[in-house]
Amino acid sequence: MKYAKIVLAGGNGYLGNVLANYYKTIATQVVILSRKAKAAESNVETVLWDGKTEGTWTETLKGADMLINLCGKNVNCRYNKQNRAEIIASRTIPTRLLNKVISEMANPPKLWINVTSATIYRHAEDHPQDEYNGDIGYGFSIDVCQQWEGSFFETETPLTRKVALRMGIVLGRNDSVFPRLLNLVKFGLGGKQGDGQQYVSWIHEHDVARSTEWLLSNEELTGVVNCSAPEAVKNTELMRLIRNTYGIPFGLPSPQWLLEIGMLLIGSETELVLKSRWVIPKRLLESGFVFQFPNAKHAIHDILSIRI
């Protein structure tokens, strides 16, 4: 095994499963910190924590090669007062707790990756946003990201390197965005959303896992790192690629007024669909990371070839 122990805080969701499956073949032990108990499977163990208070779970951090923090309420909801408060608290409270525990630990994780969001950048249709010159946007989603990263970097952890991994939209067959887009295609509704000119900064789930291992191996990388494929794609093109790959020749478009109604009915926000996220992973590329799926066409072909 290449690694002794990988810890995934809040790792019982979709991305946590992706990372656990990746690391269980190359790490002696994978520990998931979760609010829900689950029986151990092979070398993957679930340890209970509440994300708010210290407890015996802190022992799992000792000597870990890497901690990846995935905590956060799903943003696929209406941004009412209660949901806004929960979205922020579910990110900042566990992050501050981990900061306290790690800063006081004699043998803490070597690397701590806090998975944040590339939505921190502004709506961009003119040029891509990178870690050096990207423009921070405005609005609730950006406020969340800034408070999130602020709570991460506010405490010094001299023995633990920190990376805020600004994640694009993760594409995979089992969950997250792709199955929902595929369902639209299956029912003939897989046309453009809005005017279709908004960029989608995406990343294949396997490249997410590979990028975290790359960060673990390249100790010079610290601070903010963008995590998205090097080739963003417009919404119109993304939907066309899914239709063509799946074999559906047409897809009805969803104008903005229709999206507003639909999002209201399903309890979500149009921003998740209409904001143009054009992000480039400049620091990963500069460090020599090679994406296995750099373009959307190949990624979609791979995802649709997987049996579930």
Side-chain angles (χ1 to χ4, degrees), residues 23 51 55 57 77 80 88-89 98 113 121 126 138 149 165 202 204 212 271-272 284 286 289 305:
Y23 280 106
W57 62 266
C77 60
N80 56 40
I88 293 171
L98 289 168
I113 296 175
Y121 299 108
D126 51 349
Y138 64 91
E149 292 188 4
L165 197 59
W202 60 275
H204 190 289
T212 62
E271 176 198 13
L272 300 175
L284 278 177
E286 286 177 345
F289 181 71
S305 71

Short mmCIF file of all heavy atoms in Angstrom, two decimals, residues 23 51 55 57 77 80 88-89 98 113 121 126 138 149 165 202 204 212 271-272 284 286 289 305:
data_model
loop_
_atom_site.label_atom_id
_atom_site.label_comp_id
_atom_site.label_asym_id
_atom_site.label_seq_id
_atom_site.Cartn_x
_atom_site.Cartn_y
_atom_site.Cartn_z
N TYR A 23 -9.19 5.20 -2.93
CA TYR A 23 -8.09 5.03 -1.98
C TYR A 23 -8.04 3.67 -1.30
O TYR A 23 -7.00 3.28 -0.77
CB TYR A 23 -8.12 6.15 -0.94
CG TYR A 23 -7.54 7.44 -1.47
CD1 TYR A 23 -8.35 8.52 -1.80
CD2 TYR A 23 -6.16 7.57 -1.67
CE1 TYR A 23 -7.81 9.69 -2.31
CE2 TYR A 23 -5.61 8.73 -2.18
CZ TYR A 23 -6.44 9.79 -2.50
OH TYR A 23 -5.89 10.94 -3.02
N GLY A 51 -19.55 16.62 13.77
CA GLY A 51 -19.05 17.78 13.05
C GLY A 51 -19.07 19.06 13.87
O GLY A 51 -18.80 20.15 13.33
N GLY A 55 -14.35 14.48 20.18
CA GLY A 55 -14.70 13.17 20.71
C GLY A 55 -13.62 12.17 20.36
O GLY A 55 -12.52 12.54 19.90
N TRP A 57 -13.36 10.44 17.89
CA TRP A 57 -13.05 10.47 16.45
C TRP A 57 -11.73 11.18 16.16
O TRP A 57 -11.11 10.94 15.11
CB TRP A 57 -14.18 11.13 15.67
CG TRP A 57 -14.42 12.58 16.04
CD1 TRP A 57 -15.32 13.04 16.95
CD2 TRP A 57 -13.74 13.73 15.53
NE1 TRP A 57 -15.26 14.42 17.04
CE2 TRP A 57 -14.29 14.86 16.19
CE3 TRP A 57 -12.73 13.92 14.59
CZ2 TRP A 57 -13.86 16.16 15.93
CZ3 TRP A 57 -12.28 15.22 14.33
CH2 TRP A 57 -12.86 16.32 15.00
N CYS A 77 -31.21 23.53 -3.24
CA CYS A 77 -32.39 23.84 -2.45
C CYS A 77 -32.74 25.31 -2.66
O CYS A 77 -31.97 26.06 -3.29
CB CYS A 77 -32.14 23.56 -0.96
SG CYS A 77 -30.79 24.53 -0.25
N ASN A 80 -33.83 30.06 1.10
CA ASN A 80 -34.58 30.79 2.11
C ASN A 80 -33.68 31.00 3.34
O ASN A 80 -32.54 30.52 3.39
CB ASN A 80 -35.87 30.06 2.48
CG ASN A 80 -35.63 28.63 2.96
OD1 ASN A 80 -34.68 28.37 3.69
ND2 ASN A 80 -36.48 27.70 2.54
N ILE A 88 -24.30 27.62 5.33
CA ILE A 88 -23.08 28.23 5.85
C ILE A 88 -22.56 27.45 7.06
O ILE A 88 -21.39 27.08 7.13
CB ILE A 88 -23.33 29.70 6.22
CG1 ILE A 88 -23.59 30.53 4.95
CG2 ILE A 88 -22.13 30.28 6.98
CD1 ILE A 88 -24.05 31.95 5.21
N ALA A 89 -23.45 27.18 8.02
CA ALA A 89 -23.02 26.52 9.26
C ALA A 89 -22.46 25.13 9.00
O ALA A 89 -21.48 24.71 9.64
CB ALA A 89 -24.20 26.44 10.23
N LEU A 98 -12.19 21.13 12.96
CA LEU A 98 -11.00 20.43 12.49
C LEU A 98 -9.76 21.28 12.68
O LEU A 98 -8.68 20.78 13.04
CB LEU A 98 -11.17 20.04 11.02
CG LEU A 98 -12.19 18.93 10.74
CD1 LEU A 98 -12.50 18.84 9.25
CD2 LEU A 98 -11.69 17.58 11.26
N ILE A 113 -7.07 18.72 2.73
CA ILE A 113 -7.76 19.32 1.59
C ILE A 113 -9.19 19.66 2.01
O ILE A 113 -9.93 18.78 2.45
CB ILE A 113 -7.79 18.35 0.39
CG1 ILE A 113 -6.37 18.07 -0.12
CG2 ILE A 113 -8.65 18.92 -0.73
CD1 ILE A 113 -6.32 17.03 -1.24
N TYR A 121 -15.98 32.25 -8.15
CA TYR A 121 -15.66 33.22 -9.19
C TYR A 121 -16.94 33.81 -9.79
O TYR A 121 -18.02 33.22 -9.70
CB TYR A 121 -14.83 32.56 -10.29
CG TYR A 121 -13.51 32.01 -9.81
CD1 TYR A 121 -13.31 30.64 -9.70
CD2 TYR A 121 -12.47 32.86 -9.45
CE1 TYR A 121 -12.11 30.12 -9.24
CE2 TYR A 121 -11.26 32.36 -9.00
CZ TYR A 121 -11.08 30.99 -8.89
OH TYR A 121 -9.89 30.50 -8.45
N ASP A 126 -16.49 35.93 -20.77
CA ASP A 126 -15.47 36.65 -21.55
C ASP A 126 -14.11 35.97 -21.51
O ASP A 126 -13.42 35.87 -22.52
CB ASP A 126 -15.34 38.09 -21.06
CG ASP A 126 -15.17 38.20 -19.55
OD1 ASP A 126 -15.36 37.18 -18.85
OD2 ASP A 126 -14.85 39.30 -19.07
N TYR A 138 -20.24 37.94 -6.64
CA TYR A 138 -21.05 38.50 -5.56
C TYR A 138 -22.34 37.70 -5.44
O TYR A 138 -22.73 36.98 -6.37
CB TYR A 138 -21.36 39.99 -5.82
CG TYR A 138 -22.20 40.23 -7.05
CD1 TYR A 138 -23.60 40.26 -6.96
CD2 TYR A 138 -21.62 40.40 -8.29
CE1 TYR A 138 -24.37 40.46 -8.09
CE2 TYR A 138 -22.38 40.60 -9.42
CZ TYR A 138 -23.76 40.64 -9.32
OH TYR A 138 -24.53 40.83 -10.44
N GLU A 149 -13.88 29.36 2.98
CA GLU A 149 -12.42 29.41 2.87
C GLU A 149 -11.82 30.24 4.00
O GLU A 149 -10.72 29.95 4.48
CB GLU A 149 -12.02 29.94 1.51
CG GLU A 149 -12.36 28.99 0.37
CD GLU A 149 -11.79 29.41 -0.97
OE1 GLU A 149 -11.05 30.42 -1.01
OE2 GLU A 149 -12.08 28.74 -1.98
N LEU A 165 -9.54 23.26 -2.26
CA LEU A 165 -9.73 22.73 -3.62
C LEU A 165 -11.06 23.22 -4.16
O LEU A 165 -12.13 22.73 -3.79
CB LEU A 165 -9.69 21.20 -3.57
CG LEU A 165 -9.47 20.46 -4.88
CD1 LEU A 165 -8.15 20.86 -5.52
CD2 LEU A 165 -9.52 18.95 -4.66
N TRP A 202 -16.45 21.60 -15.44
CA TRP A 202 -16.76 20.24 -15.00
C TRP A 202 -15.46 19.49 -14.75
O TRP A 202 -14.37 19.91 -15.16
CB TRP A 202 -17.57 19.53 -16.09
CG TRP A 202 -16.78 19.45 -17.37
CD1 TRP A 202 -16.69 20.40 -18.35
CD2 TRP A 202 -15.89 18.40 -17.77
NE1 TRP A 202 -15.81 20.00 -19.34
CE2 TRP A 202 -15.31 18.78 -19.01
CE3 TRP A 202 -15.54 17.17 -17.20
CZ2 TRP A 202 -14.39 17.98 -19.67
CZ3 TRP A 202 -14.62 16.37 -17.86
CH2 TRP A 202 -14.06 16.78 -19.10
N HIS A 204 -14.31 15.07 -14.47
CA HIS A 204 -14.66 13.65 -14.33
C HIS A 204 -14.31 13.20 -12.92
O HIS A 204 -13.28 13.57 -12.36
CB HIS A 204 -13.88 12.84 -15.36
CG HIS A 204 -14.32 11.41 -15.49
ND1 HIS A 204 -14.08 10.47 -14.51
CD2 HIS A 204 -14.97 10.76 -16.49
CE1 HIS A 204 -14.57 9.30 -14.91
NE2 HIS A 204 -15.12 9.44 -16.11
N THR A 212 -6.46 14.67 -6.03
CA THR A 212 -6.15 14.71 -4.60
C THR A 212 -4.87 13.93 -4.30
O THR A 212 -4.07 14.36 -3.46
CB THR A 212 -7.32 14.14 -3.76
OG1 THR A 212 -7.55 12.76 -4.10
CG2 THR A 212 -8.59 14.95 -3.97
N GLU A 271 -29.79 29.69 -10.43
CA GLU A 271 -28.37 30.02 -10.47
C GLU A 271 -27.52 28.78 -10.72
O GLU A 271 -26.48 28.85 -11.38
CB GLU A 271 -27.96 30.67 -9.15
CG GLU A 271 -26.47 30.97 -9.06
CD GLU A 271 -25.98 31.19 -7.64
OE1 GLU A 271 -26.71 30.88 -6.69
OE2 GLU A 271 -24.83 31.64 -7.49
N LEU A 272 -27.95 27.65 -10.18
CA LEU A 272 -27.18 26.41 -10.33
C LEU A 272 -27.05 25.99 -11.78
O LEU A 272 -26.13 25.27 -12.15
CB LEU A 272 -27.84 25.29 -9.52
CG LEU A 272 -27.96 25.54 -8.01
CD1 LEU A 272 -28.73 24.41 -7.34
CD2 LEU A 272 -26.58 25.70 -7.37
N LEU A 284 -2.78 23.28 -11.12
CA LEU A 284 -2.61 21.85 -11.37
C LEU A 284 -1.83 21.64 -12.67
O LEU A 284 -0.91 20.81 -12.73
CB LEU A 284 -3.97 21.16 -11.48
CG LEU A 284 -4.67 20.78 -10.17
CD1 LEU A 284 -6.04 20.18 -10.46
CD2 LEU A 284 -3.82 19.82 -9.34
N GLU A 286 0.23 23.75 -14.20
CA GLU A 286 1.61 24.22 -14.03
C GLU A 286 2.47 23.19 -13.29
O GLU A 286 3.67 23.06 -13.56
CB GLU A 286 1.63 25.53 -13.25
CG GLU A 286 1.17 26.74 -14.05
CD GLU A 286 1.14 28.01 -13.20
OE1 GLU A 286 1.19 27.91 -11.95
OE2 GLU A 286 1.06 29.10 -13.78
N PHE A 289 0.24 18.13 -13.61
CA PHE A 289 -0.85 17.16 -13.54
C PHE A 289 -1.44 16.95 -14.93
O PHE A 289 -1.72 17.91 -15.66
CB PHE A 289 -1.94 17.65 -12.58
CG PHE A 289 -3.10 16.69 -12.44
CD1 PHE A 289 -2.95 15.49 -11.77
CD2 PHE A 289 -4.34 16.99 -13.00
CE1 PHE A 289 -4.01 14.60 -11.64
CE2 PHE A 289 -5.41 16.12 -12.87
CZ PHE A 289 -5.24 14.92 -12.19
N SER A 305 -20.34 4.50 -20.63
CA SER A 305 -19.92 3.11 -20.87
C SER A 305 -19.95 2.28 -19.58
O SER A 305 -19.80 1.06 -19.62
CB SER A 305 -18.50 3.08 -21.46
OG SER A 305 -17.54 3.46 -20.48
#
